């Protein structure tokens, strides 16, 4: 059996999972169904579903090596947690059929994808979330953003330059532009929460609330 230390590991996910979970526990109802987009190493999924015992947390990622990691990490979890995680889904936000026809969720959660994927992934995320969310459901995104009303931290400017050097299609996204894509999909920004290291947790939902 794989040992946890043999699996791909994100130090950033280890650092930010506690603050993100605290926000999720404050924001979410006691139970529901979540679809996580871009689950990566699966550290978040394991941590969040352990801290949200009333939730079913569906992991997903389009990358075959990430899917193998998600499967292996899930297999190491205790049986009750495994049951609440479900087998990871191969899911690229650009695909039309995120979930089986008619299947809806209460939460779509997506951390740290928008800046490490082409800009088209933003529209795809918003359109897909709008399709699969139940009435009253929420899309929660987490990561660094560029704000028109706030100065950008030097560390985020350096991160942006580094991303663009690695791939010109990557880079930190301006909240205004993300909001415009959300609006086209029928979603509105309902709340924004500052988290450590100049990251933000943004809450999106159907309807008119706009912060
Ligand atoms: C930096 S990792 C973030 C992983 C994890 N969410 C976290 O915060 O630690 C970015 C992830 O986005 C995924 N990704 C990239 N393009 C995607 C797409 N078009 N649809 C869904 N996921 C995508 C990658 O496979 C990768 O796992």
């Amino acid at each position: 059996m794989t040992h946890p230390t043999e699996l791909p590991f994100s130090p950033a996910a280890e650092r930010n999972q506690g603050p993100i979970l605290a926000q999720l526990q404050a924001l979410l109802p006691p139970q529901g169904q979540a679809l996580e987009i871009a689950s990566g190493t699966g550290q978040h999924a394991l941590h969040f579903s352990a801290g949200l015992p009333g939730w079913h947390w569906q992991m997903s990622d389009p990358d075959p090596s990430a899917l193998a990691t998600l499967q292996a990490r899930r297999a190491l979890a205790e049986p009750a947690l495994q049951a609440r995680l479900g087998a990871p889904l191969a899911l690229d936000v650009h695909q039309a059929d995120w979930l089986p026809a008619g299947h809806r969720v209460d939460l779509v959660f997506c951390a740290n994808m928008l800046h490490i994927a082409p800009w088209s992934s933003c529209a795809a995320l918003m359109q897909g979330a709008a399709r699969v969310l139940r009435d009253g459901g929420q899309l929660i995104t987490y990561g660094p953003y560029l704000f028109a009303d706030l100065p950008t931290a030097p560390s985020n400017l350096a991160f942006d330059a580094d991303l663009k050097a690695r791939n010109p299609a990557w880079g930190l996204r301006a909240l205004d532009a993300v909001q415009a894509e959300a609006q086209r999909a029928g979603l509105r920004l309902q709340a924004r929460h500052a988290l450590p290291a100049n990251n933000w947790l943004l809450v999106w939902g159907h309807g008119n609330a706009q912060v």
Side-chain angles (χ1 to χ4, degrees), residues 10 12-14 16 20 36-44 60-64 66 70 91-95 98 109-118 120-121 124 142 159 166 170:
S10 161
E14 196 71 7
N16 61 37
I20 298 174
E36 182 180 15
I37 300 296
S39 298
T41 64
Q43 290 162 252
H44 278 168
S60 77
D61 205 283
D63 177 14
L70 295 173
L91 194 162
D92 184 309
V93 286
H94 296 93
Q95 72 194 53
W98 278 20
F109 177 82
C110 180
N112 293 317
M113 181 198 72
L114 290 177
H115 55 282
I116 309 187
S120 61
S121 69
Y142 168 86
F159 184 38
R166 286 161 63 193
W170 294 357

Side-chain angles (χ1 to χ4, degrees), residues 85-149:
L85 282 164
L89 274 184
L91 194 162
D92 184 309
V93 286
H94 296 93
Q95 72 194 53
D97 50 342
W98 278 20
L99 294 173
H103 197 98
R104 298 275 181 278
V105 294
D106 306 287
L107 170 69
V108 173
F109 177 82
C110 180
N112 293 317
M113 181 198 72
L114 290 177
H115 55 282
I116 309 187
W119 173 238
S120 61
S121 69
C122 182
L125 174 68
M126 295 299 171
Q127 300 282 343
R131 282 196 306 273
V132 302
L133 282 174
R134 289 199 178 96
D135 286 349
Q138 291 169 323
L139 164 67
I140 294 185
T141 61
Y142 168 86
Y145 298 87
L146 303 173
F147 291 86
D149 55 345

